[in-house]
């Protein structure tokens, strides 16, 4: 994982066509903007369906 520090108004470019920008910082909340082609799906992590972990045998 790449970890970078950015200030409000600064951006990170991923590949040739994805830009992640810091729009606003208020206390411990950071608003970001993601500019990507429509062919790229962008979802919040908590909304992504993931399989439930298997229950261990008792």
């Amino acid at each position: 994982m790449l970890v970078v520090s950015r200030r409000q108004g600064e951006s990170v470019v991923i590949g040739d066509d994805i830009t992640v920008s810091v729009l606003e910082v208020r206390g411990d909340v950071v608003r970001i903007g993601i500019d990507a082609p429509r062919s790229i799906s962008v979802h919040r992590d908590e909304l992504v369906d993931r399989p439930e972990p298997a229950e261990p045998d008792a």
Side-chain angles (χ1 to χ4, degrees), residues 32-49:
I32 61 171
I34 302 168
D35 184 21
R38 289 192 178 273
S39 61
I40 302 290
S41 296
V42 178
H43 303 283
R44 294 190 336 235
D45 182 61
E46 65 271 17
L47 299 180
V48 176
D49 287 332

Side-chain angles (χ1 to χ4, degrees), residues 6-58:
R6 301 279 75 198
R7 291 186 171 88
Q8 186 171 334
E10 295 180 334
S11 301
V12 173
V13 177
I14 302 170
D16 293 328
D17 51 6
I18 300 172
T19 303
V20 179
S21 303
V22 178
L23 302 178
E24 181 179 18
V25 179
R26 279 193 195 170
D28 61 349
V29 176
V30 178
R31 292 183 65 219
I32 61 171
I34 302 168
D35 184 21
R38 289 192 178 273
S39 61
I40 302 290
S41 296
V42 178
H43 303 283
R44 294 190 336 235
D45 182 61
E46 65 271 17
L47 299 180
V48 176
D49 287 332
R50 294 196 176 94
E52 295 276 333
E55 292 286 328
D57 293 332

